[in-house]
Amino acid sequence: MRSFSRTGISNRILATLTLFLPCLMICANLATAESKKPDNAAVNQRIQENVELTAQDQSSGPADIAITRQIRKDLMADDALSTYGQNIKIITQNGNITLKGPVRTSGEKLQIEKIALRAQGAKRVMNELEVAPRR
């Protein structure tokens, strides 16, 4: 029969904990990250209820398409804008422009609105851009 000393058992327990403790900590961090996922259920519900405009609401009229095209062209030409700012959604209906999506700063939000207002044929601009938090 084999005898175990307290020191030997303690060393084995310590070695086992040393191996598995980091794994447990990683699993705990992953579980915490899962529980902190952003909840955009309210946004999805507003879109489904047609309370908000989506890209599908873009008018197919030639004047509205021209306005949207001009704004997109001007956004892409502005090197001061972030990639976020250059890729916002632009929805034009009867000369009324809605800007949606994330931008990096409030200054960028205002700059994009100014660009939209300069578009020939623009009547009104609804600025629904949101400043995205940095990660």
Side-chain angles (χ1 to χ4, degrees):
M1 193 167 178
R2 189 173 171 190
S3 68
F4 295 100
S5 68
R6 284 188 169 193
T7 309
I9 292 174
S10 297
N11 286 341
R12 286 185 180 155
I13 292 172
L14 184 60
T16 303
L17 286 175
T18 303
L19 290 173
F20 291 108
L21 190 58
C23 294
L24 291 173
M25 291 175 67
I26 290 170
C27 290
N29 285 338
L30 289 175
T32 304
E34 284 290 319
S35 66
K36 291 183 181 178
K37 284 185 176 178
D39 180 15
N40 63 350
V43 173
N44 291 339
Q45 183 177 2
R46 286 194 312 258
I47 290 171
Q48 288 174 356
E49 293 173 354
N50 292 327
V51 175
E52 291 188 10
L53 294 176
T54 66
Q56 294 176 341
D57 295 316
Q58 167 68 40
S59 168
S60 60
D64 289 333
I65 291 173
I67 291 169
T68 302
R69 183 181 301 126
Q70 183 61 51
I71 294 169
R72 178 69 63 205
K73 181 180 172 187
D74 291 346
L75 292 177
M76 298 306 291
D78 191 336
D79 292 332
L81 295 177
S82 69
T83 304
Y84 276 58
Q86 291 178 335
N87 288 300
I88 61 155
K89 291 181 186 86
I90 306 164
I91 305 160
T92 309
Q93 295 178 323
N94 300 320
N96 297 312
I97 304 161
T98 302
L99 306 172
K100 299 179 74 115
V103 294
R104 284 294 181 199
T105 65
S106 56
E108 187 171 62
K109 180 178 176 177
L110 292 173
Q111 177 63 20
I112 293 169
E113 184 175 352
K114 288 178 186 177
I115 289 171
L117 284 168
R118 288 193 311 242
Q120 184 174 358
K123 294 178 183 175
R124 185 180 69 154
V125 174
M126 296 293 298
N127 190 342
E128 297 179 10
L129 299 171
E130 298 176 13
V131 177
R134 295 220 183 239
R135 294 181 183 183

